[in-house]
Amino acid sequence: MPKKGAKKAKEVVDAPAPDHQGNKLPDHLELQRTRVVCKADAPIHTQGFQYSGAFAAMGVDNSVSVEKFCKNFKIEINQLTEDDMEFDMIGIDASIANAFRRILIAEVPTMAIEKVFMVDNTSVIADEVLSHRLGLIPLDADPRLFDYISENDVPNERNTIVYTLHVSCGKGSPRITVKSGQLEWLPEGSQLSAASPAQTGDQQKTFTSFGQSQKEISKKPLGVKIEEITIARLGPGQSIELEAHAVKGVGKIHAKWSPVATAWYRMLPEVVLKEEIKGDDAVELQKKCPVNVFDIEELGGSNSLTPTPSPVYGGFG
C-alpha cells in the first residue's frame, strides 16, 4: 500500500513548468513585481521583488533571460553632444542599469599618458605631481586604433603615442602658464636617446621602435581633447622639458583611463496621489513642487491636480 501523500508528490513532479505568458499576477502583485516602492525614509529603505523565484508558486517566472532582455530592452537617446550623452533605458531592472554605469566607468578603454621621461624640471612642481597631472589630461585619440601593451612589449606605433613638452620662462620675464595645448604629438616616435651609439655612425636608439608614421594610422592629429588645462606655472628662469608616452587602458586599472567624468542613472518616478486635490490646494501644491511633475486639469469648472511622470534619465559626460 503506497504511503500517504505519495500520489500528491507524484503530481508535483509531473506538473508542467510555469508558463509566464499564460499566467497573470493580481494587480497588487504585478505592481510589486514591476515597481520599486519607496518608503517614508527613502532612499534608505525601498521595497521590491527582484529575485527569480518570487512568484514561482503562482506560475510566473521572474528570472532574467537573454530572450526577455532582447525583447523588452530599448534605448532612446534624448541628448547627444561631443561631451555629454543623455538617454532613456527602457525595459530593464535597476541592477542592469547600474551594471551599464559601472561598465562605462571601468571597462571602456581609452588612451592616457602612462610614462613620463623627465629631461628638465626646474619648476616648483615635483616630477611625480607633474606626471600625475599629465596622466589626467584627456587625449583626442581613438583607442580602437591601438593595441594594449604589456611589460614585455616594445613600444611601437600600434601601442604607444608620444608627446613632447618643452617650455621655459626667460630671466626677467613675467610668469607664464603651461597648458595642455602645448603638448606636441610626435608621429614618428620618441626623440630621446635611450642609449649612446656603440660606434660612430650607428643609428640612435630611442625609447620607441616605430616602423611607420602614426599619420598613416590616424586620419586626424592625435592631440589633446582640451587645450586650456593648466599643467604648471613657470617663473623667470624656470623650464620644463619632458617626453610623455600614452598607452591604452581601462578605468578599473586607473581613473585616468576612465572615459567619463561621471555616469549616473535614476529610475522613472511615478507619483500616486492618495486623494484628489482640487481648487486652491492644487495650485499651491503645483507651485511648491521644485521639478514640475504636476499638471492642473480643469474638470467641471474646478482645478484638479494630476501627476505628470518625469522620464527616465541615464547619461554620462
Side-chain angles (χ1 to χ4, degrees):
M1 183 175 179
K3 294 182 179 179
K4 187 178 181 180
K7 184 176 180 181
K8 185 177 180 181
K10 185 176 185 301
E11 290 176 355
V12 173
V13 172
D14 296 338
D19 183 8
H20 177 66
Q21 302 296 331
N23 294 281
K24 184 178 180 181
L25 292 173
D27 292 341
H28 71 284
L29 291 181
E30 182 66 16
L31 186 67
Q32 293 180 359
R33 189 185 75 85
T34 58
R35 303 291 194 276
V36 176
V37 181
C38 296
K39 297 184 179 180
D41 53 354
I44 298 176
H45 290 109
T46 58
Q47 182 180 358
F49 295 89
Q50 308 301 334
Y51 56 97
S52 59
F55 307 101
M58 305 189 69
V60 175
D61 183 13
N62 199 46
S63 62
V64 178
S65 65
V66 177
E67 292 77 12
K68 291 181 183 178
F69 179 82
C70 295
K71 180 180 179 180
N72 299 325
F73 179 65
K74 64 178 181 178
I75 293 181
E76 294 181 358
I77 299 177
N78 300 325
Q79 179 181 347
L80 178 61
T81 65
E82 189 175 355
D83 298 320
D84 300 280
M85 183 177 183
E86 184 181 294
F87 53 89
D88 295 349
M89 293 186 291
I90 304 170
I92 62 171
D93 185 72
S95 60
I96 307 298
N98 188 53
F100 285 144
R101 181 188 69 84
R102 295 178 66 92
I103 289 172
L104 289 172
I105 294 173
E107 302 288 343
V108 178
T110 60
M111 304 296 293
I113 292 174
E114 171 68 359
K115 292 184 178 181
V116 177
F117 298 90
M118 201 71 63
V119 179
D120 183 27
N121 178 22
T122 56
S123 69
V124 296
I125 302 178
D127 293 352
E128 294 80 5
V129 178
L130 183 58
S131 300
H132 182 263
R133 288 188 177 186
L134 291 171
L136 296 176
I137 295 175
L139 305 178
D140 190 12
D142 189 348
R144 294 172 295 182
L145 301 176
F146 299 92
D147 303 324
Y148 289 101
I149 185 172
S150 65
E151 295 180 357
N152 299 324
D153 292 335
V154 177
N156 56 53
E157 69 277 5
R158 286 293 179 178
N159 58 31
T160 304
I161 305 176
V162 181
Y163 299 91
T164 184
L165 178 65
H166 189 187
V167 290
S168 60
C169 181
K171 293 182 179 181
S173 302
R175 295 174 62 88
I176 63 173
T177 301
V178 183
K179 297 193 175 183
S180 55
Q182 294 176 263
L183 282 169
E184 181 184 354
W185 171 45
L186 300 179
E188 309 299 331
S190 175
Q191 296 179 349
L192 294 180
S193 298
S196 301
Q199 297 179 0
T200 304
D202 289 350
Q203 186 176 3
Q204 182 182 12
K205 185 178 180 181
T206 63
F207 288 98
T208 58
S209 179
F210 280 21
Q212 61 176 338
S213 173
Q214 287 182 333
K215 291 181 179 180
E216 302 177 14
I217 299 175
S218 176
K219 297 181 180 179
K220 63 177 183 179
L222 303 177
V224 297
K225 188 68 176 178
I226 303 173
E227 297 186 350
E228 296 301 318
I229 298 176
T230 299
I231 298 176
R233 290 270 292 173
L234 298 182
Q238 296 178 349
S239 64
I240 295 176
E241 183 179 359
L242 57 84
E243 188 174 273
H245 292 192
V247 299
K248 186 176 180 178
V250 292
K252 66 181 179 181
I253 304 299
H254 193 283
K256 65 185 178 183
W257 280 300
S258 181
V260 295
T262 182
W264 57 272
Y265 75 94
R266 70 181 180 96
M267 291 178 287
L268 172 69
E270 183 178 25
V271 181
V272 179
L273 300 177
K274 293 184 178 180
E275 61 183 30
E276 188 175 6
I277 302 176
K278 300 180 179 180
D280 296 337
D281 292 339
V283 176
E284 183 178 358
L285 181 57
Q286 184 194 33
K287 292 179 179 179
K288 287 185 176 181
C289 181
V291 290
N292 298 323
V293 298
F294 296 113
D295 190 18
I296 294 181
E297 295 181 355
E298 291 188 5
L299 300 176
S302 62
N303 295 329
S304 177
L305 191 70
T306 59
T308 304
S310 300
V312 177
Y313 285 113
F316 66 88

